[in-house]
Amino acid sequence: HTAKAYREIEKNEAAANKNKADYVHYLEWFKKVIDNDDFKGFNKEDVAYYLDSILFEYGKKTKKDTEMSKRNGK
């Protein structure tokens, strides 16, 4: 789900591509976000945990929205 959320945010695509290069790019992006100066006052593990949780939920919603669109013929 987090990979789907990442793809939706970065490339505006609902379905995540599961190839290795995409995953490596996702990990680089994730690290860049948690290393951002905006979060320097926070524990990196906490930032990573909450970012992952948010992306997971967003990815689940994206998947549900995509499935509903397919069922409705959109």
Side-chain angles (χ1 to χ4, degrees):
H1 295 297
T2 55
K4 281 182 177 59
Y6 163 74
R7 295 284 296 208
E8 183 71 17
I9 291 166
E10 284 293 299
K11 299 180 183 171
N12 197 24
E13 293 178 13
N17 184 343
K18 297 182 183 197
N19 68 35
K20 186 176 179 177
D22 206 33
Y23 181 69
V24 169
H25 190 240
Y26 164 74
L27 291 177
E28 290 169 356
W29 174 83
F30 192 88
K31 182 175 178 358
K32 185 172 110 181
V33 170
I34 64 173
D35 288 343
N36 188 301
D37 284 344
D38 292 340
F39 302 115
K40 67 181 173 188
F42 299 96
N43 180 308
K44 282 188 183 186
E45 288 81 16
D46 290 342
V47 174
Y49 173 79
Y50 288 111
L51 177 60
D52 185 67
S53 296
I54 291 166
L55 290 173
F56 182 83
E57 290 301 320
Y58 183 65
K60 270 186 6 183
K61 182 183 179 333
T62 300
K63 181 178 179 182
K64 286 179 187 175
D65 291 348
T66 300
E67 290 172 353
M68 286 188 79
S69 291
K70 286 180 183 176
R71 279 184 279 189
N72 294 331
K74 294 180 181 177

